Amino acid sequence: ALPDRYVAYVFDDIHLKFADLARVRAATEQHFADSLAPTSRAAIYTTSGRVTLDFTGSREKLHDELLRIGPAPNAAPPPGEVCPDVINTYEADLILNHQDNQANQAAAQELLQCLPPAAITRGTIIMIAQRALTANNINTQSVMSVLAGVVQRISVVPGSRSIVLASPGFLLLSELRAKEMELMDRAIRSNVMISTLDARGLYDPWLGEAGSTTDRLDSVTMRYRREGADANKDVMAELAEGTGGKFFKN
């Protein structure tokens, strides 16, 4: 029987944490075991480009490639840097692009976790916020470029064509909206449906980044973490709705 269904699985290893990736990998293994018909072909890609497997019907090859996927280095500052990830991307966007005074004040309180009070100036906050946005844009461009390449690859195969993006989501800033529109337009014209899966499952900020610190986080900080988590999902919903796919969350 000739293949008539092609599905490309894209794992966002740039943004995925190890625990999330382990759950997604197990679910994908189960999906291959239950749903990979003889006329179906699956491919595996990662947004870092470190793992790539072209379309195959071999469960053994798919299994081997899944085991190779792990969290990939990204543009974010390494753990040894001063105050990594204290100001998240969402908060940095509010500070730099929306001149949000409350976000600026919250950032100053958050930086007390890793800097002495005398070192927390407006210039310090701007510098760390700019670093967060720069890293976010580099990582987001990598995701968009890989998705565009996968759409181009799958557009030449016969039969049903779909992509599944497994990611915790990411913030798509205004300067990258054109790339998103171009990606969706290319997918629509190629009859490629993109579905998305929130790899974090049911997300609770107290059990996420906030749960990793012993410092008390006030309600404003927690609000930004929740809003940031919700904002990261927007691009996942947009890609699915814009191409006829589904967004699986919670």
Side-chain angles (χ1 to χ4, degrees):
L2 295 175
D4 60 5
R5 181 171 182 262
Y6 291 80
V7 184
Y9 295 85
V10 181
F11 296 88
D12 186 8
D13 56 346
I14 290 178
H15 295 103
L16 279 167
K17 305 295 185 184
F18 181 79
D20 297 330
L21 182 55
R23 288 193 297 270
V24 170
R25 185 191 291 122
T28 307
E29 288 270 24
Q30 187 65 44
H31 178 69
F32 287 154
D34 296 341
S35 304
L36 192 62
T39 56
S40 297
R41 296 294 182 267
I44 292 176
Y45 299 91
T46 54
T47 53
S48 70
R50 299 172 72 189
V51 176
T52 299
L53 175 66
D54 202 14
F55 290 103
T56 179
S58 170
R59 294 180 183 175
E60 182 179 354
K61 289 182 178 179
L62 292 167
H63 169 77
D64 291 343
E65 290 303 303
L66 278 175
L67 293 180
R68 293 182 56 218
I69 301 174
N74 59 48
E81 292 284 335
V82 177
C83 298
D85 298 331
V86 173
I87 301 177
N88 65 27
T89 306
Y90 175 76
E91 197 172 354
D93 180 46
L94 292 177
I95 293 170
L96 296 178
N97 298 329
H98 301 278
Q99 289 74 50
D100 190 310
N101 289 329
Q102 190 174 38
N104 189 78
Q105 294 170 6
Q109 289 298 314
E110 291 169 343
L111 290 175
L112 288 173
Q113 301 176 57
C114 53
L115 290 176
I120 303 174
T121 64
R122 173 65 177 167
T124 302
I125 293 172
I126 290 175
M127 178 191 69
I128 295 177
Q130 286 176 334
R131 186 170 60 181
L133 289 192
T134 298
N136 176 78
N137 282 351
I138 292 173
N139 293 333
T140 300
Q141 288 190 61
S142 296
V143 175
M144 290 297 176
S145 296
V146 168
L147 286 174
V150 175
V151 169
Q152 183 175 4
R153 169 67 186 96
I154 200 174
S155 66
V156 300
V157 301
S160 170
R161 310 162 183 166
S162 57
I163 295 172
V164 177
L165 170 64
S167 172
F170 46 91
L171 191 64
L172 189 69
L173 299 177
S174 57
E175 52 264 39
L176 295 177
R177 286 291 173 185
K179 285 187 175 294
E180 180 193 30
M181 296 303 296
E182 181 182 348
L183 172 64
M184 291 191 293
D185 182 63
R186 181 179 300 181
I188 292 169
R189 286 188 284 107
S190 302
N191 292 320
V192 176
M193 181 177 65
I194 301 175
S195 290
T196 52
L197 170 69
D198 183 357
R200 291 175 303 185
L202 184 60
Y203 177 75
D204 184 339
W206 281 114
L207 302 177
E209 296 91 334
S212 64
T213 178
T214 57
D215 294 291
R216 185 185 69 84
L217 295 177
D218 62 27
S219 59
V220 175
T221 298
M222 290 305 302
R223 191 192 84 195
Y224 286 135
R225 292 196 185 278
R226 288 193 298 269
E227 291 177 358
D230 289 339
N232 286 346
K233 295 179 183 180
D234 288 347
V235 64
M236 306 277 281
E238 291 162 3
L239 289 175
E241 293 171 5
T243 60
K246 294 182 178 180
F247 174 33
F248 298 91
K249 57 184 177 180
N250 294 339

